[in-house]
Coordinates of all heavy atoms in Angstrom, one line a residue:
Chain E
E309 N -38.5 -5.2 19.7 CA -38.7 -4.9 21.1 C -39.9 -5.6 21.7 O -39.7 -6.2 22.8 CB -38.9 -3.3 21.2 CG -39.2 -2.8 22.6 CD -39.8 -1.5 22.6 OE1 -39.0 -0.5 22.3 OE2 -41.0 -1.3 22.9
R310 N -41.0 -5.5 21.0 CA -42.2 -6.2 21.5 C -42.0 -7.7 21.7 O -42.3 -8.3 22.7 CB -43.4 -6.0 20.6 CG -44.0 -4.6 20.7 CD -45.4 -4.5 20.0 NE -45.3 -4.9 18.5 CZ -45.0 -4.0 17.6 NH1 -44.8 -2.7 17.9 NH2 -44.9 -4.4 16.3
F311 N -41.4 -8.3 20.7 CA -41.2 -9.7 20.7 C -40.2 -10.1 21.8 O -40.4 -11.0 22.6 CB -40.7 -10.2 19.4 CG -40.5 -11.7 19.3 CD1 -41.6 -12.6 19.4 CD2 -39.2 -12.3 19.3 CE1 -41.4 -13.9 19.3 CE2 -39.1 -13.7 19.3 CZ -40.2 -14.5 19.3
G312 N -39.1 -9.3 21.9 CA -38.1 -9.6 23.0 C -38.7 -9.5 24.4 O -38.5 -10.4 25.2
N313 N -39.4 -8.5 24.6 CA -40.0 -8.3 26.0 C -41.1 -9.4 26.2 O -41.3 -9.9 27.3 CB -40.5 -6.9 26.2 CG -39.4 -5.9 26.2 OD1 -38.3 -6.3 26.7 ND2 -39.6 -4.7 25.7
W314 N -41.8 -9.7 25.2 CA -42.8 -10.8 25.3 C -42.2 -12.1 25.6 O -42.7 -12.8 26.5 CB -43.6 -10.9 23.9 CG -44.6 -12.0 23.9 CD1 -45.9 -11.9 24.3 CD2 -44.5 -13.3 23.4 NE1 -46.6 -13.0 24.1 CE2 -45.7 -13.9 23.5 CE3 -43.4 -14.0 22.8 CZ2 -45.9 -15.3 23.1 CZ3 -43.6 -15.3 22.4 CH2 -44.9 -15.9 22.6
V315 N -41.1 -12.4 25.0 CA -40.4 -13.7 25.3 C -39.9 -13.6 26.8 O -39.9 -14.6 27.5 CB -39.2 -13.9 24.3 CG1 -38.3 -15.0 24.9 CG2 -39.7 -14.3 23.0
Q316 N -39.3 -12.5 27.2 CA -38.8 -12.4 28.6 C -39.9 -12.6 29.6 O -39.6 -13.0 30.7 CB -38.2 -11.0 28.8 CG -36.8 -10.8 28.2 CD -35.8 -11.8 28.7 OE1 -35.1 -12.4 28.0 NE2 -35.8 -11.9 30.0
D317 N -41.1 -12.3 29.2 CA -42.2 -12.5 30.2 C -42.6 -14.0 30.4 O -43.3 -14.3 31.3 CB -43.5 -11.8 29.7 CG -43.3 -10.3 29.9 OD1 -42.4 -9.9 30.6 OD2 -44.1 -9.5 29.2
R318 N -42.1 -14.9 29.6 CA -42.3 -16.3 29.7 C -41.7 -16.8 31.0 O -40.7 -16.3 31.5 CB -41.7 -17.1 28.6 CG -42.4 -16.9 27.3 CD -41.6 -17.7 26.2 NE -41.6 -19.1 26.5 CZ -42.4 -20.0 26.0 NH1 -43.3 -19.7 25.1 NH2 -42.2 -21.3 26.3
E319 N -42.4 -17.7 31.6 CA -41.9 -18.2 32.9 C -40.5 -18.9 32.8 O -39.7 -18.8 33.7 CB -42.9 -19.2 33.5 CG -43.1 -19.1 34.9 CD -44.4 -19.7 35.4 OE1 -44.4 -21.0 35.5 OE2 -45.4 -19.0 35.5
D320 N -40.3 -19.6 31.7 CA -39.1 -20.4 31.5 C -38.0 -19.5 31.0 O -36.9 -20.1 30.6 CB -39.3 -21.6 30.6 CG -40.0 -21.3 29.3 OD1 -40.3 -20.1 29.1 OD2 -40.1 -22.2 28.5
A321 N -38.1 -18.2 30.9 CA -37.0 -17.4 30.4 C -36.1 -17.1 31.7 O -36.5 -16.4 32.6 CB -37.6 -16.0 29.9
V322 N -35.0 -17.8 31.7 CA -34.1 -17.7 32.9 C -33.3 -16.4 32.8 O -32.8 -16.0 33.9 CB -33.2 -18.9 33.0 CG1 -34.1 -20.2 33.2 CG2 -32.3 -19.1 31.8
G323 N -33.0 -15.9 31.7 CA -32.2 -14.7 31.6 C -33.1 -13.5 31.9 O -34.3 -13.5 31.9
D324 N -32.4 -12.4 32.2 CA -33.1 -11.2 32.6 C -32.7 -10.0 31.6 O -31.7 -9.4 31.8 CB -32.8 -10.8 34.1 CG -33.5 -9.6 34.5 OD1 -34.5 -9.1 33.8 OD2 -33.2 -9.1 35.6
W325 N -33.5 -9.8 30.6 CA -33.2 -8.8 29.6 C -34.3 -7.9 29.3 O -35.5 -8.3 29.4 CB -32.8 -9.5 28.3 CG -31.5 -10.2 28.5 CD1 -31.3 -11.5 28.9 CD2 -30.2 -9.6 28.2 NE1 -29.9 -11.7 28.9 CE2 -29.2 -10.6 28.5 CE3 -29.8 -8.4 27.8 CZ2 -27.9 -10.4 28.4 CZ3 -28.4 -8.1 27.6 CH2 -27.5 -9.2 28.0
E326 N -34.0 -6.6 29.0 CA -35.0 -5.7 28.6 C -34.7 -5.2 27.2 O -33.5 -4.9 26.9 CB -34.9 -4.5 29.6 CG -36.1 -3.6 29.4 CD -36.0 -2.4 30.3 OE1 -35.4 -2.5 31.4 OE2 -36.6 -1.3 30.0
Y327 N -35.7 -5.1 26.3 CA -35.5 -4.7 24.9 C -36.1 -3.3 24.7 O -37.3 -3.1 25.1 CB -36.2 -5.7 24.0 CG -35.4 -7.0 24.0 CD1 -35.7 -8.0 25.0 CD2 -34.4 -7.3 23.1 CE1 -35.0 -9.2 25.0 CE2 -33.8 -8.5 23.1 CZ -34.0 -9.4 24.1 OH -33.3 -10.6 24.1
T328 N -35.4 -2.4 24.1 CA -35.9 -1.1 23.8 C -35.5 -0.7 22.4 O -34.4 -0.7 22.0 CB -35.2 0.0 24.7 OG1 -35.1 -0.6 26.0 CG2 -35.9 1.3 24.7
A329 N -36.5 -0.3 21.6 CA -36.3 0.2 20.3 C -36.0 1.7 20.3 O -36.7 2.4 21.1 CB -37.4 -0.1 19.3
V330 N -35.1 2.2 19.6 CA -34.8 3.6 19.6 C -34.8 4.2 18.2 O -34.6 3.4 17.2 CB -33.5 4.0 20.3 CG1 -33.5 3.6 21.8 CG2 -32.3 3.3 19.6
E331 N -35.0 5.5 18.1 CA -35.1 6.1 16.7 C -33.8 6.6 16.2 O -33.7 7.0 15.0 CB -36.2 7.1 16.7 CG -37.6 6.6 17.1 CD -38.7 7.4 16.5 OE1 -38.7 7.6 15.3 OE2 -39.6 7.8 17.3
D332 N -32.8 6.7 17.0 CA -31.5 7.2 16.5 C -30.4 6.2 16.9 O -30.4 5.6 18.0 CB -31.2 8.6 16.9 CG -30.9 8.7 18.4 OD1 -31.7 8.1 19.2 OD2 -29.8 9.2 18.7
R333 N -29.6 6.0 16.0 CA -28.5 5.0 16.1 C -27.6 5.4 17.3 O -27.1 4.5 18.0 CB -27.7 5.0 14.8 CG -26.8 3.8 14.7 CD -26.1 3.8 13.4 NE -25.3 5.0 13.2 CZ -24.7 5.3 12.1 NH1 -24.8 4.5 11.0 NH2 -24.0 6.4 12.0
A334 N -27.3 6.6 17.5 CA -26.4 7.0 18.6 C -26.8 6.5 19.9 O -26.0 6.0 20.7 CB -26.3 8.6 18.6
T335 N -28.1 6.5 20.2 CA -28.7 6.1 21.4 C -28.4 4.6 21.6 O -28.1 4.1 22.7 CB -30.2 6.4 21.5 OG1 -30.4 7.7 21.3 CG2 -30.7 6.0 22.9
A336 N -28.6 3.9 20.5 CA -28.3 2.4 20.6 C -26.8 2.1 20.9 O -26.5 1.2 21.6 CB -28.7 1.7 19.3
L337 N -26.0 2.9 20.3 CA -24.5 2.6 20.5 C -23.9 3.2 21.8 O -23.0 2.6 22.3 CB -23.8 3.2 19.3 CG -24.0 2.7 17.9 CD1 -23.3 3.4 16.8 CD2 -23.7 1.2 17.9
E338 N -24.5 4.3 22.2 CA -23.8 5.0 23.4 C -23.5 4.1 24.5 O -24.4 3.5 25.1 CB -24.7 6.2 23.8 CG -24.0 7.1 24.8 CD -22.8 7.8 24.1 OE1 -22.9 8.2 22.9 OE2 -21.8 7.9 24.8
G339 N -22.2 3.9 24.8 CA -21.8 3.1 26.0 C -22.1 1.6 25.9 O -22.0 0.9 26.9
A340 N -22.4 1.1 24.7 CA -22.7 -0.3 24.5 C -21.4 -1.1 24.8 O -20.3 -0.7 24.6 CB -23.1 -0.6 23.1
D341 N -21.6 -2.3 25.4 CA -20.6 -3.3 25.6 C -20.4 -4.1 24.4 O -19.3 -4.5 24.1 CB -20.9 -4.1 26.8 CG -21.1 -3.3 28.1 OD1 -20.1 -2.7 28.6 OD2 -22.2 -3.3 28.6
F342 N -21.5 -4.4 23.8 CA -21.5 -5.2 22.5 C -22.3 -4.5 21.5 O -23.4 -3.9 21.8 CB -22.0 -6.6 22.8 CG -21.2 -7.4 23.7 CD1 -21.4 -7.3 25.1 CD2 -20.1 -8.1 23.3 CE1 -20.6 -8.1 26.0 CE2 -19.3 -8.8 24.2 CZ -19.6 -8.8 25.6
V343 N -21.9 -4.6 20.2 CA -22.7 -4.0 19.1 C -22.9 -5.2 18.2 O -21.9 -5.8 17.8 CB -22.0 -2.9 18.4 CG1 -22.7 -2.4 17.2 CG2 -21.8 -1.7 19.4
V344 N -24.1 -5.4 17.8 CA -24.4 -6.4 16.8 C -24.8 -5.7 15.5 O -25.7 -4.8 15.6 CB -25.5 -7.4 17.3 CG1 -25.8 -8.4 16.2 CG2 -25.1 -8.0 18.6
L345 N -24.2 -6.1 14.4 CA -24.5 -5.5 13.1 C -25.2 -6.5 12.2 O -24.6 -7.5 11.9 CB -23.2 -4.9 12.4 CG -22.4 -3.9 13.2 CD1 -21.2 -3.5 12.5 CD2 -23.3 -2.6 13.5
S346 N -26.4 -6.2 11.9 CA -27.1 -7.1 11.0 C -28.1 -6.3 10.2 O -29.3 -6.3 10.4 CB -27.9 -8.1 11.9 OG -28.7 -8.9 11.1
T347 N -27.5 -5.5 9.3 CA -28.2 -4.4 8.7 C -28.0 -4.5 7.2 O -26.9 -4.7 6.7 CB -27.7 -3.1 9.2 OG1 -28.3 -2.1 8.5 CG2 -26.2 -3.0 9.1
Q348 N -29.1 -4.2 6.5 CA -29.0 -4.1 5.1 C -29.6 -2.8 4.7 O -30.8 -2.6 4.7 CB -29.8 -5.2 4.4 CG -29.3 -5.5 3.0 CD -29.9 -6.8 2.5 OE1 -30.3 -7.6 3.2 NE2 -30.0 -6.8 1.2
D349 N -28.7 -1.9 4.4 CA -29.0 -0.5 4.2 C -28.2 0.0 3.0 O -26.9 0.0 3.2 CB -28.8 0.3 5.5 CG -29.1 1.7 5.3 OD1 -29.8 2.1 4.3 OD2 -28.7 2.5 6.2

Side-chain angles (χ1 to χ4, degrees):
Chain E
E309 176 198 286
R310 281 193 302 273
F311 183 69
N313 291 329
W314 178 84
V315 166
Q316 282 300 131
D317 286 342
R318 288 176 61 100
E319 217 160 82
D320 55 353
V322 298
D324 182 11
W325 290 90
E326 192 182 333
Y327 292 84
T328 317
V330 295
E331 298 205 53
D332 71 310
R333 193 176 62 186
T335 307
L337 295 177
E338 191 63 38
D341 301 295
F342 296 91
V343 174
V344 180
L345 301 175
S346 171
T347 175
Q348 204 172 332
D349 178 12

